[in-house]
Amino acid sequence: MTTTSSDMCGPTDDPPRKSCGDKVDSTIHSFFNRVGVICASKAKITIAVSLALAALFGSGISQIKPESRPEKLWVPQNTQHQNEEEMYISYFPPTSRFNTMLVRDAKGKNVLTKEHLVSAMELHGMIETEEIDTTDIEDYEGKKELFTFPDLCSAGGGSCVAYNPTDPICNCLVISVLRMWNYDLDMLQADDDLLSTLMRYGSREDLEGVLGNPVFDNNGMLQSAEAIQVTYFLADRSEVRNGNEVDPINEAWEEKVFLESVQDNEPSKSNIDVSYISTRSFSDEFGGAISGDLVFVQVSYIVAFIFLGATLGSRIACGKGSRWAMSFAALILVAASTAAGIGLSSFVGLIYGPVHSLLPFILLGIGVDDSFVIANAFDRERKVSRSSENDDGIIARAGRALGRAGASITVTSATDLVAFAISSSSSLPALSSFCAYASIGIFFLWAFSATFFTACMFIDEKRQRDNRRDCLCCVKRSDDNEEEDDLDKGAKEGRISTYFRKYHAPAILSKPGKAVV
């Protein structure tokens, strides 16, 4: 026996596709109608259970697995390349961290003069002799000690042109033309033929490796250069803690000695201009960007609160028709969904990388949209004045409102969730984890919007009916004749709906509007 789509959807004279669509829509409407009635009739219990579930799932944050190593975030895992690279590192692990400064003339002229070389040597002297105290290092677990660069450097010969075993710098790996004077300021100042001394550094190619844009004459003699490169190597002491590669001593030296020394060299106070980079520079900039994102998250929540409060209700000033409390409830909805999503994702073992700081922005946008849809549906389903509605009437309206809004928030949430879920199959761990986190967060937004926010809307509708103050629902307002919503038979159209009905729609449907579109 052959079954047609018409048989599956039930006997009907309408086209099968339309009948199936109507059945799906009716099923979604009925489901959310029941959810709305249940949540409104047990509003306080619904709010308490929603927040308890958010806290329960959010507790999974204790299992969060932070990861900041680029090779674990942006390199496809379990590939031949990765396996071979890990094998190579197991035999030849990294041994050094580098810190490089580029010394130039403050006005862009020749830097191979005694004045400039003396300034560079003085700067080197600060970097070589400045001490760090381990008591100032937060993550250091050893005993109290004082360290200088020679104590931390990678061992290497040839750093001094005339090796002196008693001079600590000669036992360190440093690459620079300053080696021609054994990193000794007195030797440099006593040299009357700097260019000849520099020519003994090595071949032309060797000089081009440490000088920026060097100029040679026809005989191959060095004449000038625009920059001097000085590179310091520290012995690697890194270890992995909670998915982060840390090296407390070296990182402290780079911050407190190297970076502070080169940053204090202001061109206005010196004849040289110094550019620099250290091993910790990437993490510093990345961390600064993440900290900046956290500030933007706070600002975005404040902006969203003000926007919601000004547009969710029929009036901005607190009173009947205002919804500042619901604006705050919408932010709680987003925060609870974000916490629950991150907690559940962490509990199942997904990594948390720096890019995950974008999640609050995404979830805020989707959560605000769902709040608008549900609040608008509550307004559209009100056919009588608020003062004439009893609790059962508001409960029934909550069911009708969520039945109307349920299909909309379900379709948009499902679309976003599926898009992120598919993207979680990416071979890049950072992208895969981020999309998985986002899809789980969107699910919680959908669930809490239909339950927590609906229950909050019911309580707010009771507050407006009883003429109680917004955000202070325990305080009742004095009765007056200025509450226009009680005079209307139904809901008053909001400002956004009014704008689209009166101005936006007519504009795009006009002949000029159609031409532009």
Side-chain angles (χ1 to χ4, degrees):
M1 177 179 178
T2 303
T3 302
T4 66
S5 57
S6 298
D7 297 328
M8 295 173 63
C9 297
T12 178
D13 295 331
D14 295 329
R17 185 173 300 175
K18 180 179 179 181
S19 177
C20 287
D22 289 344
K23 268 205 164 185
V24 170
D25 184 69
S26 175
T27 301
I28 294 176
H29 185 278
S30 299
F31 170 76
F32 279 103
N33 189 295
R34 290 195 297 272
V35 170
V37 170
I38 293 172
C39 292
S41 59
K42 303 181 183 299
K44 294 180 180 179
I45 295 177
T46 300
I47 293 173
V49 171
S50 298
L51 295 178
L53 287 174
L56 176 64
F57 286 109
S59 65
I61 294 178
S62 62
Q63 306 297 317
I64 197 167
K65 294 174 60 178
E67 182 61 74
S68 62
R69 292 171 290 175
E71 68 274 13
K72 296 295 183 181
L73 292 173
W74 304 108
V75 176
Q77 303 297 291
N78 301 319
T79 61
Q80 182 178 355
H81 163 75
Q82 185 202 29
N83 294 334
E84 292 180 354
E85 182 181 30
E86 290 180 349
M87 181 182 65
Y88 175 84
I89 292 177
S90 68
Y91 287 109
F92 305 100
T95 59
S96 298
R97 297 167 64 96
F98 73 91
N99 297 269
T100 299
M101 65 176 181
L102 197 64
V103 180
R104 298 171 294 171
D105 175 68
K107 297 181 180 179
K109 298 180 180 179
N110 177 32
V111 76
L112 299 183
T113 66
K114 179 167 289 189
E115 182 184 9
H116 293 92
L117 289 170
V118 165
S119 296
M121 188 72 80
E122 290 174 342
L123 181 56
H124 160 79
M126 294 172 55
I127 294 172
E128 178 187 348
T129 59
E130 190 75 23
E131 294 180 332
I132 59 167
D133 190 340
T134 55
T135 57
D136 298 329
I137 304 176
E138 183 177 351
D139 298 328
Y140 183 65
E141 299 176 351
K143 62 181 181 180
K144 178 180 178 180
E145 292 182 80
L146 296 175
F147 290 105
T148 62
F149 172 69
D151 299 320
L152 304 174
C153 69
S154 296
S159 291
C160 298
V161 68
Y163 179 69
N164 181 0
T166 63
D167 189 349
I169 195 64
C170 293
N171 297 309
C172 292
L173 181 56
V174 182
I175 299 176
S176 170
V177 294
L178 298 180
R179 70 182 286 270
M180 301 308 299
W181 299 277
N182 274 28
Y183 297 97
D184 188 307
L185 182 59
D186 294 333
M187 287 182 62
L188 172 61
Q189 290 176 327
D191 191 342
D192 295 326
D193 194 353
L194 300 176
L195 294 180
S196 296
T197 302
L198 288 171
M199 283 301 297
R200 296 197 298 272
Y201 181 84
S203 66
R204 176 170 177 163
E205 288 73 20
D206 292 332
L207 286 169
E208 289 175 341
V210 292
L211 297 176
N213 295 331
V215 177
F216 298 87
D217 63 15
N218 293 333
N219 296 321
M221 296 297 294
L222 179 65
Q223 299 297 305
S224 66
E226 295 180 9
I228 300 172
Q229 176 180 288
V230 185
T231 303
Y232 301 89
F233 291 87
L234 298 173
D236 183 68
R237 297 172 177 83
S238 62
E239 56 182 309
V240 178
R241 298 180 186 173
N242 297 322
N244 297 311
E245 193 173 78
V246 296
D247 192 344
I249 297 179
N250 286 335
E251 289 177 357
W253 182 88
E254 290 172 352
E255 178 186 8
K256 300 297 184 182
V257 177
F258 179 76
L259 292 177
E260 285 190 3
S261 296
V262 295
Q263 289 169 355
D264 287 344
N265 187 82
E266 300 180 15
S268 59
K269 300 178 182 179
S270 173
N271 60 340
I272 59 174
D273 181 21
V274 181
S275 301
Y276 50 88
I277 186 173
S278 73
T279 300
R280 66 171 294 149
S281 294
F282 176 79
S283 59
D284 285 346
E285 292 299 321
F286 210 20
I290 298 304
S291 300
D293 287 344
L294 295 178
V295 173
F296 282 123
V297 168
Q298 298 171 24
V299 172
S300 66
Y301 270 67
I302 294 173
V303 172
F305 174 74
I306 295 174
F307 178 73
L308 282 167
T311 55
L312 269 183
S314 59
R315 58 186 294 175
I316 297 177
C318 289
K320 191 176 292 185
S322 68
R323 282 186 173 139
W324 288 100
M326 292 311 302
S327 174
F328 185 65
L331 297 188
I332 294 178
L333 158 69
V334 175
S337 301
T338 303
I342 293 177
L344 181 58
S345 301
S346 301
F347 182 77
V348 299
L350 296 175
I351 63 172
Y352 187 92
V355 73
H356 289 59
S357 61
L358 297 175
L359 280 171
F361 295 106
I362 295 174
L363 298 182
L364 178 63
I366 298 173
V368 166
D369 177 68
D370 291 347
S371 301
F372 268 114
V373 172
I374 294 174
N376 182 262
F378 262 83
D379 289 338
R380 288 180 176 274
E381 290 299 327
R382 183 164 69 86
K383 307 302 182 184
V384 297
S385 64
R386 282 195 171 95
S387 58
S388 63
E389 269 190 319
N390 57 21
D391 286 359
D392 290 337
I394 300 177
I395 291 173
R397 176 153 65 96
R400 297 195 305 273
L402 194 60
R404 173 196 285 262
S408 176
I409 65 172
T410 298
V411 170
T412 55
S413 297
T415 302
D416 295 333
L417 190 151
V418 170
F420 279 109
I422 293 174
S423 299
S424 67
S425 63
S426 170
S427 60
L428 298 179
L431 181 60
S432 174
S433 174
F434 174 80
C435 292
Y437 267 81
S439 60
I440 294 173
I442 290 170
F443 168 77
F444 280 111
L445 272 178
W446 171 79
F448 289 151
S449 294
T451 54
F452 170 81
F453 192 76
T454 299
C456 290
M457 282 295 301
F458 169 77
I459 293 176
D460 187 71
E461 288 297 309
K462 286 182 60 179
R463 188 271 305 174
Q464 296 195 58
R465 180 200 63 188
D466 297 338
N467 201 23
R468 297 184 181 275
R469 294 187 180 276
D470 201 358
C471 296
L472 295 172
C473 56
C474 295
V475 180
K476 191 169 184 178
R477 294 169 56 88
S478 58
D479 292 331
D480 54 47
N481 296 322
E482 296 181 1
E483 306 299 344
E484 70 278 3
D485 282 346
D486 271 351
L487 299 178
D488 293 338
K489 293 298 182 182
K492 183 179 179 181
E493 188 175 40
R495 286 178 293 279
I496 294 180
S497 297
T498 301
Y499 161 74
F500 277 99
R501 180 176 60 82
K502 287 187 175 181
Y503 306 107
H504 191 86
I508 63 174
L509 292 177
S510 64
K511 290 184 178 180
K514 291 178 179 178
V516 172
V517 173

